[in-house]
Amino acid sequence: MAAAAGPRPEVQNLQWAPPEHDEAQAAAGLGDCEDAPVRPLCKPRGICSRAYFLVLMVFVHLYLGNVLALLLFVHYSNGDESTDPRLQRRAQGPTPAPTLGPLTRLEGIKVGHERKVQLVADRDHFIRTLSLKPLLFEIPGFLSDEECRFIIHLAQMKGLQRSQILPTEEYEEAMGTMQISQLDLFRLLDQNRDGRLQLREVLAQTRLGNGRWMTPENIQEMYSAIKADPDGDGVLSLQEFSDMDLRDFHKYMRSHKVESSELVRNSHHTWLYQGEGAHHVMRAIRQRVLRLTRLSPEIVELSEPLQVVRYGEGGHYHAHVDSGPVYPETICSHTKLVANESVPFETSCRQVPPTWGLPSTPRPGTAMTQAQSCPVGMPLGMGPGEHQVILLGTYSTTPLPYSYMTVLFYLNNVTGGGETVFPVADNRTYDEMSLIQDDVDLRDTRRHCDKGNLRVKPRQGTAVFWYNYLPDGQGWVGDVDDYSLHGGCLVTRGTKWIANNWINVDPSRARQALFQQEMARLAREGGADSQPEWALDRAYRDARVEL
């Protein structure tokens, strides 16, 4: 131990030298490390010595012994915590959320570009690019004539119901929950901030609460009835708007009987189950969509069933988007069940349609079985898409979709009208206010379909599909694509049959992954009990129909 107390040897220019070098130096008459300023090689001494090495090892062993003793002391003082599961979980931290790969997305290349794909055995299909904004494609012959007729037949056996925006009886209840001043409402409607409400500013926010689609003439008639526009110029000043009694507006809306032609959507629809146990034709179509979209099987299989829609003569659907903006204040009902998050508002996210006819409350241990709409009375500016409060407090509670993409099938040839219009497809710019100029509202599919940029004529068996969101740069859902605005033109003669597959994706990548993980667990543990009971689809899954 005394040796360690001596002065530290110099270590700067010392190197080990092989023994044969030492012998050569001795033969040259050079002493051990004397007069060798340029001599880096010498017989190891000081730190290079064996004695120093042994002393160093002693210190290392003493240090390690002290560390081990300290660890044993702590262990026996606190008890054995290594088997405590709570402490183990605390040490490990929260379980990382599962992650998903990027969402696939076809390239449009250019309008008119065609590519060959094989979606079914022994047959080629061709995908043609119709527009780049939105990214829109057409596939002739996606369904066979027999498949088209079979889907129509199943829908008729299931029974169709009228498509609705907001039931009239809910209108007054919705209005009663409004908590906003007239001044705030005026500021929200006054988009150009000029202190005056032009007709197009009012119409731009119109998604009427009683299901009625308003035209410029309708707005002026209403102004006249409730004496809101004394000078009759169709423009409301702040003073005129403040003098208006909103109760008069509500009375006017209540007293006006809405005709089918005045509805936002005039059609009938039903849903056909496509999951495990469905008819083999329905399963085959879903698998074909899976190959077309190139998305993961979990995303496609967990999306909603096939919606079948019938538009009779006079039927239409005014221009809309199939999804809505992503807001941090909202969460999908279906993923909320697994994400365990708390947010002010939740929405159905189109995962399960409200007309499935399933129980209104989920069975223990299963996913939610009925869609929920965003609560009425949502504050202005916070609700996405159709939920923004509009003209004088009217708004729709249509469930907000988070539909990553739409696949639409034409099931028959339409005698007259019935095109799918994309009013602003491939426009250089998008401005919501530019959709309404003078008396022309490009969203109005009854009167102004011919003015839309792109119209797709229904042809039996043809499918069109488009992306409702832009990419976020990370392979997931970004902003909603405003150019995906589309609608169903007026059917002037005959009947139009279509079907829709909406591919649902939660804007939160982590929530979508958790949802898929939980659904997989339920399928493993719940077996047949975790599947919804679709009486018609199960009863007719082996149906043989002469078509």
Side-chain angles (χ1 to χ4, degrees), residues 352-361 363 368-370 531-535:
V352 183
T355 52
W356 267 26
L358 300 177
S360 59
T361 55
R363 296 189 301 271
M368 183 173 293
T369 55
Q370 187 174 23
Q531 296 291 339
E533 292 297 328
W534 276 67

Side-chain angles (χ1 to χ4, degrees), residues 326-401:
V326 176
Y327 290 91
E329 295 90 356
T330 54
I331 187 173
C332 299
S333 299
H334 67 284
T335 48
K336 180 176 188 252
L337 296 174
V338 296
N340 195 27
E341 294 184 34
S342 176
V343 293
F345 309 107
E346 65 180 83
T347 177
S348 72
C349 300
R350 300 206 75 139
Q351 197 69 25
V352 183
T355 52
W356 267 26
L358 300 177
S360 59
T361 55
R363 296 189 301 271
T366 64
M368 183 173 293
T369 55
Q370 187 174 23
Q372 294 182 357
S373 297
C374 286
V376 293
M378 176 177 287
L380 280 166
M382 295 187 69
E386 298 294 328
H387 295 281
Q388 292 178 356
V389 179
I390 48 88
L391 172 65
L392 307 183
T394 60
Y395 59 95
S396 164
T397 55
T398 303
L400 167 76

Side-chain angles (χ1 to χ4, degrees), residues 108-116 126-129 140:
I109 311 298
K110 64 179 181 179
V111 174
H113 175 77
E114 286 192 357
R115 75 195 76 191
K116 183 169 66 175
F126 290 88
I127 301 178
R128 181 170 178 263
T129 303

Side-chain angles (χ1 to χ4, degrees), residues 99 103 151 154 214 233 236 261 265 335 361 363 404 423 507:
T99 57
L103 296 170
I151 292 172
L154 275 186
M214 297 292 274
D233 62 353
L236 297 185
S261 60
R265 182 179 188 180
T335 48
T361 55
R363 296 189 301 271
Y404 175 63

